[in-house]
Amino acid sequence: MLKSFGGPESFELCDVPKPVPRAGQVLVRVHATSINPLDYQVRRGDYPDLVQLPAITGHDVSGVIEEVGPGVTTFAPGDEVWYTPQIFDGPGSYAEYHVAAESIIGKKPPALSHLEAASLTLVGGTAWEALVVRAALRVGESILVHGGAGGVGHVAIQLAKAMGARVFTTVREANFEFARSLGADVVIDYKKEDYVDAILRETGGHGVDVVFDTIGGNTLSRSADALAQLGRVVSIVDIAQPQNLVQAWGKNASYHFVFTRQNRGKLDELSALVARGQLRPHVGAVYSLADIALAHARLESPNNGIQGKIAIAVEPSLIS
């Protein structure tokens, strides 16, 4: 439980009453969850007006239904499910049990373990919202995914390939092979080469149709330079300072900012991709729930060496 905003040490392991599902809700025994940048942003106090302390935080669930409330017809006790809890609306997933509305949960893909499933719900839903709903990426188009080795980025590469796009991505040289294994066509070491120069060279000066920004800051402000005419930029990062969009104006570009919404439809679409072998989350590290502070500290540290996601085993048997 988070009793005060601050560093990773702000978490405390506590006993709380088991929640009870109301009408239209289910009680889930959480087997696994995972860590996202949103989690440490909440913990350090970036959204103090939206998080009432003390709070159980966390934004991914993979588990098994233990009880259903009145009126629930889609699920039954024993069903394996996955979902993202409603963000900023009630307790999160860093707990042994969680109550959720029937409408936002889906059947866990059988091909995924609980650790893998919990590593896909939020980042998968975010990538789907960004590329399918907002950017409307089409077959034959090109996309630049910033941060292709990260949680959202490594899913976005796979999703873009499944949609028939040519995929460019920026990663460190150490992550080249990982990015290529996900389906990236062109891998750019952003530490050694200006990504705009690389994109213009690889596209013959045309630019890419879509830029998916998971970094923000200067990366967002320069993304228009890599765009083709009528290109689209989709960002999942807060705008911390004013942006000069004169280059975007000259290219008739559109900008979209995504804060993912919870619904079963996206989960079902992701499940279909998993079943076809076109999508699989990569679990780069596993921690126990008791070590949640260590997991936060690692993800928040620069150059943490994590490819994909950090998963949290709530069920002790999942720790190998």
Side-chain angles (χ1 to χ4, degrees):
M1 180 172 288
L2 185 67
K3 294 190 174 181
S4 63
F5 296 124
E9 72 284 353
S10 301
F11 287 113
E12 294 184 30
L13 204 58
C14 303
D15 289 325
V16 298
K18 181 192 291 189
V20 177
R22 300 192 298 271
Q25 294 182 328
V26 300
L27 174 66
V28 176
R29 182 174 180 87
V30 181
H31 282 225
T33 182
S34 74
I35 308 292
N36 304 280
L38 176 61
D39 297 319
Y40 64 68
Q41 291 164 3
V42 167
R43 186 213 72 228
R44 69 192 184 192
D46 289 11
Y47 306 100
D49 296 334
L50 300 176
V51 179
Q52 183 176 352
L53 298 177
I56 298 174
T57 60
H59 299 93
D60 297 279
V61 170
S62 182
V64 178
I65 291 181
E66 186 158 300
E67 182 183 347
V68 300
V72 172
T73 58
T74 309
F75 301 95
D79 287 344
E80 293 189 328
V81 295
W82 67 330
Y83 59 96
T84 294
Q86 293 284 11
I87 299 174
F88 301 133
D89 186 19
S93 59
Y94 295 170
E96 294 176 313
Y97 291 93
H98 187 265
V99 164
E102 177 185 22
S103 60
I104 69 167
I105 69 177
K107 295 285 183 69
K108 181 182 80 66
L112 298 184
S113 68
H114 283 294
L115 291 171
E116 290 173 319
S119 298
L120 184 57
T121 60
L122 180 57
V123 296
T126 299
W128 183 272
E129 183 103 4
L131 273 57
V132 178
V133 180
R134 308 300 290 279
L137 184 65
R138 296 184 290 272
V139 173
E141 288 193 315
S142 57
I143 180 172
L144 168 61
V145 177
H146 285 299
V152 178
H154 91 287
V155 171
I157 290 174
Q158 297 176 73
L159 179 56
K161 288 302 293 184
M163 297 172 71
R166 185 186 186 202
V167 181
F168 301 77
T169 191
T170 56
V171 294
R172 292 177 179 272
E173 186 175 6
N175 292 320
F176 272 19
E177 290 309 311
F178 176 60
R180 291 188 179 112
S181 74
L182 301 170
D185 298 289
V186 179
V187 183
I188 303 165
D189 183 353
Y190 67 93
K191 300 292 288 185
K192 296 182 178 179
E193 183 175 19
D194 184 281
Y195 74 84
V196 174
D197 292 342
I199 291 295
L200 296 179
R201 182 188 67 245
E202 294 288 339
T203 62
H206 179 76
V208 294
D209 300 295
V210 175
V211 174
F212 182 35
D213 170 41
T214 68
I215 308 297
N218 186 55
T219 300
L220 174 61
S221 62
R222 296 197 63 229
S223 286
D225 296 336
L227 276 182
Q229 284 290 324
L230 301 177
R232 292 91 76 196
V233 174
V234 186
S235 179
I236 60 172
V237 184
D238 293 343
I239 301 177
Q241 57 188 358
Q243 301 284 313
N244 186 340
L245 300 181
V246 65
Q247 293 296 325
W249 173 75
K251 294 183 177 180
N252 288 287
S254 61
Y255 275 64
H256 306 267
F257 296 90
V258 171
F259 186 83
T260 190
R261 299 166 291 179
Q262 286 67 57
N263 62 68
R264 186 184 304 152
K266 286 189 292 187
L267 294 173
D268 291 345
E269 296 286 1
L270 295 170
S271 291
L273 290 174
V274 170
R276 292 199 295 267
Q278 294 177 297
L279 175 62
R280 194 171 198 98
H282 181 80
V283 178
V286 178
Y287 289 79
S288 69
L289 185 60
D291 288 330
I292 196 78
L294 296 177
H296 267 243
R298 185 170 182 188
L299 183 62
E300 198 172 4
S301 64
N303 309 326
N304 56 42
I306 296 296
Q307 294 177 332
K309 290 293 295 291
I310 295 178
I312 303 297
V314 180
E315 176 62 44
S317 64
L318 297 182
I319 291 286
S320 57

